[in-house]
Amino acid sequence: MSEAQIDLNAFRAEVRGWLSENLPPELRQAHNRATSVFVEKQFNLAWQAILLRKGWVAPHWPTEHGGTGWNEAQRYIFASECARAGAPSLAPMGLKMVAPVIMKYGSEAQKGYYLPKLLAGEHYWCQGYSEPQAGSDLAALQLRADSDGDDYVLNGSKIWTTHAHVANHMFCLARTNRDGRPQEGITFLLLEMSTPGIAVKPIVSIAGDHDFNQVFFDNVRVPKANRLGDEGKGWTVAKTLLEYERAAAYAAGLIEALAEVRAAARDAELLDDPAIRRRFAELDSQVRTIHAVEDMVLAAIGEGRDPGPASSMLKVQGTECQQKIQELAVDVAGIYAAPYQFEARQAGSNTGYVGPESALTATARYFNGRAASIYGGSNEIQRNIMAKLVLGL
């Protein structure tokens, strides 16, 4: 069915009605109480299982692999209605990041093995990119993958590895050659976190959340059959994956986040303050701009094209707008955003707390949101990409 034949109002009504009947209150509460990038694994997978039964897990996947066949307008409506309903977001490392590159670079055997398990939530992925001396400069990575018969033997470490402590699989960049240009010696590997020699150490954030980890590799054997693409060509695979990571859908979530802060400001009788009104107006304008850029990116993905530098534009605008909304939320919460309120949130209790519900998560989200302009390639790196590929500088 062409886009012209699709009744988008009817589609929105269908999605909204289904969400109202199938989104459990405990998953909505998990979303509302979440302060970091993702909700906890058990809530994430519970929601994925519900979407799987409906066939709505992977709107961006091709239909032959279990996608919905929706166009970009339908995908945006679905994302906006999920945000409006308070549905927890699904972890993107598997469904939105490694899955597209498996489809593009994987063998038929790899596609047949990994994609159904990704769709079903059997495989929960983490991303092994950053290292202690190689963050946004991934060409500086040093994790060694030495050839030994049918295996690579890995030694080194990865850091800031989100959900490595609960993931059962990792997609990983490793150095298989130290000669020539640094980018030419990198290989893209898929590995199981239960492999002997892997150790995961937690990194707890300033907000008290445990999302990040450092992962150590001590003579970890990974079959060469788990290599994605050719040996030494992992840089190309990695760049493609990062375009999908940076092309995250921001607008729907930002619209709802801004609406929540506006409601809190109304309750606090702050909307008559000219400075507060000006900040809301600026953010409204920025979200509309992000929506326009997002349409470009979603159209490219929907047509099977890589997003290219537009994903860098979206990443910069989306993360910086998110941070501004979080800053405004803290200012609106006032004294109720004091850091000691974390204790009530982490204990799952509001005992002794008399402030608004929205203020419980304001400061923790503000602290966690500082990382958004760093992970996925810092925004300074994204501006360099735009300068080179868009402006020709």
Side-chain angles (χ1 to χ4, degrees):
M1 183 179 290
S2 69
E3 185 170 343
Q5 295 174 301
I6 296 171
D7 186 336
L8 295 180
N9 288 328
F11 177 76
R12 183 182 293 276
E14 178 192 359
V15 172
R16 185 174 295 185
W18 184 83
L19 287 168
S20 69
E21 295 176 2
N22 292 276
L23 176 60
E26 61 270 21
L27 296 188
R28 184 180 293 110
Q29 183 182 61
H31 166 78
N32 291 338
R33 287 292 181 89
T35 58
S36 58
V37 180
F38 313 120
V39 298
E40 295 177 3
K41 179 181 178 180
Q42 67 266 31
F43 302 121
N44 191 305
L45 291 182
W47 182 229
Q48 183 166 338
I50 294 171
L51 291 172
L52 179 67
R53 291 194 291 271
K54 181 64 174 174
W56 287 356
V57 169
H60 292 88
W61 285 26
T63 53
E64 62 265 29
H65 294 305
T68 59
W70 294 340
N71 60 36
E72 57 267 23
Q74 289 173 294
R75 292 194 294 269
Y76 178 78
I77 288 171
F78 178 69
S80 64
E81 288 301 319
C82 284
R84 177 183 176 275
S89 58
L90 301 181
M93 283 84 75
L95 292 167
K96 294 184 179 179
M97 292 164 61
V98 76
V101 294
I102 289 174
M103 293 176 197
K104 183 170 183 176
Y105 297 101
S107 65
E108 290 305 313
Q110 288 171 328
K111 294 175 189 176
Y113 175 71
Y114 287 110
L115 295 178
K117 295 181 185 300
L118 274 162
L119 200 66
E122 295 178 37
H123 286 181
Y124 194 86
W125 290 77
C126 62
Q127 177 183 25
Y129 272 26
S130 294
E131 296 183 8
Q133 303 301 320
S136 292
D137 180 16
L138 285 175
L141 67 86
Q142 296 299 314
L143 175 69
R144 294 180 57 173
D146 297 320
S147 177
D148 185 17
D150 292 333
D151 297 335
Y152 293 111
V153 181
L154 275 58
N155 284 282
S157 73
K158 296 292 180 179
I159 202 166
W160 311 120
T161 314
T162 303
H163 280 197
H165 59 301
V166 293
N168 54 23
H169 281 74
M170 172 190 282
F171 56 91
C172 176
L173 294 179
R175 184 162 297 287
T176 48
N177 192 328
R178 296 177 178 274
D179 300 325
R181 295 177 65 244
Q183 293 89 342
E184 295 173 352
I186 295 173
T187 298
F188 195 105
L189 301 174
L190 310 173
L191 58 90
E192 295 185 24
M193 294 298 288
S194 60
T195 307
I198 294 178
V200 179
K201 304 297 183 183
I203 300 174
V204 178
S205 74
I206 192 174
D209 292 305
H210 176 200
D211 286 328
F212 302 131
N213 304 272
Q214 185 165 6
V215 183
F216 296 90
F217 299 82
D218 182 10
N219 292 322
V220 174
R221 302 189 75 88
V222 177
K224 291 181 179 177
N226 289 17
R227 184 184 67 223
L228 195 62
D230 295 332
E231 181 173 297
K233 300 299 182 183
W235 185 255
T236 299
V237 181
K239 287 196 301 182
T240 302
L241 186 144
L242 282 171
E243 288 178 0
Y244 286 100
E245 178 180 6
R246 293 161 186 163
Y250 289 97
L254 293 174
I255 290 169
E256 291 305 313
L258 191 57
E260 290 175 8
V261 180
R262 182 178 280 109
R266 184 180 300 110
D267 292 342
E269 299 182 351
L270 293 173
L271 290 181
D272 289 334
D273 184 326
I276 294 292
R277 288 205 310 272
R278 182 176 65 252
R279 291 170 71 181
F280 275 113
E282 291 171 352
L283 287 167
D284 278 329
S285 177
Q286 190 169 355
V287 170
R288 290 192 181 96
T289 301
I290 291 166
H291 191 179
V293 176
E294 206 167 86
D295 282 346
M296 295 166 44
V297 172
L298 292 177
I301 294 174
E303 294 168 6
R305 296 183 285 114
D306 293 338
S311 64
S312 293
M313 299 179 196
L314 183 57
K315 201 266 182 178
V316 170
Q317 293 180 20
T319 56
E320 293 182 0
C321 183
Q322 172 187 311
Q323 290 173 343
K324 290 177 183 177
I325 292 173
Q326 290 163 343
E327 291 169 4
L328 181 55
V330 170
D331 289 343
V332 167
I335 62 170
Y336 297 114
Y340 65 78
Q341 303 294 356
F342 292 170
E343 297 177 4
R345 175 181 62 80
Q346 291 169 335
S349 169
N350 291 350
T351 302
Y353 178 70
V354 295
E357 174 76 13
S358 60
L360 272 176
T361 56
T363 303
R365 287 177 176 172
Y366 168 83
F367 281 141
N368 277 308
R370 301 304 91 195
S373 50
I374 300 173
Y375 58 63
S378 72
N379 285 12
E380 290 79 8
I381 295 293
Q382 305 316 311
R383 288 186 166 90
N384 285 345
I385 292 172
M386 290 185 282
K388 180 179 180 181
L389 299 182
V390 180
L391 301 178
L393 300 178

